[in-house]
């Protein structure tokens, strides 16, 4: 458990058939050029340990800090407030699936320079992937006939050019896609907002509250192709078994505590009755 991100990842993934996503989404569009242009991207921005949803949004979207995950979930908070349905898109490479690596972006209805559609929005990179000047959606990312011609339209030139690498042929040829529904993000955000108490240490806060979310079944789900996790069955069952045992342990401790409380109350009641 020295690497809690593994425990978190393996207890949040869920296998489905071939990824289909929600092709439609509600047709409530975001003006992506206006939105992205106004993000004040900071140089040398790195991952920040923030768990409270509004803080994620402020840090990434208002202040321009963070990595792809920070920007995606900060942007998700904004989209929720604007009643724009979305999905969080996860880029996975099977060879590095059990470690760090990969990428996170959003998928939502957007307008850009007069064009309208549902597609990938990469807030960390400050732009969107394109194909022949058309919007790129999730199913284009695995289309062998298209990926060689996908390019990245960087709307905000202050955003890091590094994220453009995730849309190059060499990377897309290796990638498999997972997704998180907006409903799952809503559940996760609502839980954090209800239980959050600031502890003046963002790393501890993230480990604590994300851990509680996983433990209580409130963490968001990452839906992935069965093919992607077929080689990691042992790891998945290992971490899910740990979670099951922790839940059983906490339930047992809670029952024991209530039982001891009940015995003490009965004992006090007996003493009180003897003294009447």
């Amino acid at each position: 458990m020295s690497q809690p991100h593994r425990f978190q990842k393996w207890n949040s993934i869920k296998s489905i058939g071939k990824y289909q996503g929600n092709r439609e989404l509600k047709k409530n569009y975001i003006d992506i050029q206006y939105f992205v242009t106004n993000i004040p991207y900071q140089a040398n921005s790195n991952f920040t340990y923030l768990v409270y949803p509004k803080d994620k949004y402020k840090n990434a979207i208002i202040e321009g800090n963070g990595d792809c995950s920070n920007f995606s979930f900060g942007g998700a908070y904004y989209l929720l407030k604007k009643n724009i349905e979305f999905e969080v898109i996860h880029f996975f490479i099977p060879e590095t699936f059990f470690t760090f690596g990969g990428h996170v972006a959003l998928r939502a209805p957007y307008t850009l320079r007069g064009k309208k559609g549902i597609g990938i929005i990469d807030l960390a990179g400050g732009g969107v992937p394109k194909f022949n000047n058309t919007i790129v959606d999730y199913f284009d990312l695995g289309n062998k006939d298209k990926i060689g011609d996908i390019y990245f339209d960087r709307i905000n030139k202050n955003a890091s050019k590094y994220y453009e690498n995730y849309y190059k042929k060499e990377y897309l040829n290796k990638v498999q896609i997972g997704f998180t529904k907006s409903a799952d993000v809503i559940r996760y955000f609502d839980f954090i907002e209800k239980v959050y108490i600031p502890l003046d240490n963002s790393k501890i806060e993230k480990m604590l509250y994300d851990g509680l979310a996983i433990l209580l079944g409130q963490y968001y789900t990452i839906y992935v192709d069965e093919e992607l996790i077929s080689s990691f069955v042992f790891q998945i069952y290992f971490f899910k078994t740990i979670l099951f045992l922790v839940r059983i342990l906490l339930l047992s401790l809670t029952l024991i505590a209530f039982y001891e409380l009940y015995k003490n109350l009965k004992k006090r009641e007996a003493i009180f009755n003897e003294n009447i």
Side-chain angles (χ1 to χ4, degrees), residues 53-177:
K54 191 172 183 179
D55 290 344
K56 288 175 181 281
Y57 163 71
K58 180 182 177 183
N59 178 73
I61 307 304
I62 301 300
E63 299 174 351
N65 295 304
D67 70 349
C68 59
S69 178
N70 298 133
F71 276 103
S72 294
F73 281 92
Y77 180 85
Y78 176 86
L79 294 178
L80 288 173
K81 295 301 180 183
K82 295 296 182 180
N83 196 31
I84 297 174
E85 191 177 7
F86 65 89
E87 291 176 332
V88 179
I89 300 297
H90 307 266
F91 296 60
F92 293 119
I93 297 179
E95 290 77 9
T96 61
F97 190 45
F98 194 56
T99 59
F100 283 115
H103 185 50
V104 186
L106 292 172
R107 175 179 182 258
Y110 73 81
T111 60
L112 177 62
R113 305 185 190 101
K115 294 185 180 296
K116 179 183 291 188
I118 297 173
I120 304 299
I121 301 172
D122 196 308
L123 292 180
V128 297
K130 292 282 199 65
F131 173 79
N132 288 340
N133 201 34
T134 60
I135 290 173
V136 166
D137 205 347
Y138 75 92
F139 43 81
D140 297 315
L141 299 176
N143 188 329
K144 301 300 181 183
D145 295 327
K146 286 187 176 183
I147 60 176
D149 295 312
I150 289 177
Y151 63 94
F152 193 76
D153 183 354
R154 195 156 59 104
I155 301 166
N156 191 321
K157 302 306 178 184
N158 292 320
S160 172
K161 293 182 67 176
Y162 170 79
Y163 294 101
E164 297 179 20
N165 294 320
Y166 290 107
Y167 302 94
K168 292 181 178 178
K169 184 176 182 179
E170 312 85 74
Y171 186 81
L172 291 178
N173 270 330
K174 300 182 289 185
V175 158
Q176 292 197 39
I177 302 297

